[in-house]
Amino acid sequence: LDVVDADAGVSTSVDPRDGTVRLTREPLAQTSHQLGISLGLAVAVRLDALEARIEAKLEDNWKEMNRTERGATRAPDLRALSRRIFVMETGLHDLRYELNSEAGFVDAPDLLWEHALAERLYDQVVAHHDTRRRTALLNERLSYSLDYLHTLSEHVRHEYSSRLERVIIILIFFELCLALVEHAPRVNNAFVELVTARESTKDVD
């Protein structure tokens, strides 16, 4: 925002077209007007910094998942993959909490309640930087990314369950094989005795 002196006797105003602030020359009113404008700018600066962090985090997460997908083998380390997804989700939840905590500052602070024009200037500065809409868009992007990570997490959990089921089936198969090997001599002896008994019966006849 550009700040220029207003004409003599003119109150402070914010130009809605280019955001130029015309600051009153009256000493008594100037302080509260500057405070309202400064607080509005502080909200915009905090949002700019947080927006940059969120954008960087989303970009890092996207690159990480692409690397994981390109480097995936037929038997990936599902536990390590699940851990990475959990860390990503935790990071995004922290950023969302911080974003929505900062969003509380969009409303005019109590400090300005006794200064109607300063409060209006604060709202105009916040509106000029499109703070509310940008906050809503960031929340939507975070929601989309969290939904995507949740879907991946569910897929990894399903793959882990399927792998565990296959291991259980293989173990049951080996257990059956061992049982057959263990009982094979008894079965063989019983079969031999049965055959011998039948031959003996034929000889008697």
Side-chain angles (χ1 to χ4, degrees):
L1 293 176
D2 294 328
V3 181
V4 297
D5 290 330
D7 296 334
V10 177
S11 183
T12 304
S13 63
V14 178
D15 193 321
R17 293 168 297 180
D18 57 12
T20 300
V21 177
R22 291 178 173 78
L23 191 62
T24 183
R25 297 173 184 267
E26 298 178 10
L28 295 178
Q30 195 176 67
T31 302
S32 63
H33 296 177
Q34 287 176 327
L35 177 62
I37 293 170
S38 297
L39 291 174
L41 289 174
V43 170
V45 170
R46 284 197 297 267
L47 181 59
D48 284 342
L50 187 55
E51 189 175 34
R53 288 173 53 199
I54 291 174
E55 293 287 347
K57 183 66 174 177
L58 294 177
E59 183 68 21
D60 289 342
N61 286 355
W62 183 254
K63 290 180 179 178
E64 174 68 17
M65 296 314 300
N66 283 339
R67 283 196 299 269
T68 301
E69 184 177 351
R70 287 196 301 269
T73 61
R74 297 184 63 182
D77 187 348
L78 296 179
R79 180 172 297 180
L81 181 57
S82 178
R83 175 64 184 172
R84 286 201 298 272
I85 293 174
F86 173 76
V87 171
M88 292 180 192
E89 286 182 319
T90 302
L92 292 183
H93 278 298
D94 290 342
L95 287 174
R96 165 169 272 183
Y97 175 80
E98 189 173 351
L99 173 65
N100 291 315
S101 297
E102 293 285 345
F105 293 105
V106 173
D107 297 327
D110 298 348
L111 188 62
L112 302 178
W113 284 4
E114 297 180 359
H115 305 279
L117 182 55
E119 183 177 351
R120 187 164 68 251
L121 291 170
Y122 172 90
D123 290 335
Q124 289 175 350
V125 171
V126 169
H128 175 73
H129 290 278
D130 212 6
T131 303
R132 288 182 174 84
R133 187 183 68 86
R134 288 163 60 196
T135 300
L137 289 176
L138 288 173
N139 266 311
E140 288 180 7
R141 292 198 62 189
L142 287 172
S143 294
Y144 172 79
S145 296
L146 286 169
D147 288 342
Y148 174 70
L149 289 175
H150 178 72
T151 301
L152 289 179
S153 179
E154 288 296 320
H155 177 70
V156 171
R157 189 176 295 111
H158 174 73
E159 289 293 321
Y160 188 82
S161 298
S162 298
R163 183 179 296 181
L164 186 60
E165 289 173 359
R166 288 194 294 270
V167 171
I168 292 173
I169 291 172
I170 292 172
L171 290 176
I172 293 174
F173 173 75
F174 279 118
E175 187 175 352
L176 289 174
C177 290
L178 289 175
L180 289 174
V181 170
E182 181 181 352
H183 291 86
R186 298 178 185 176
V187 173
N188 183 59
N189 291 336
F191 179 75
V192 170
E193 291 176 358
L194 179 62
V195 171
T196 303
R198 286 185 177 179
E199 290 180 350
S200 299
T201 302
K202 289 180 180 179
D203 291 339
V204 172
D205 294 340

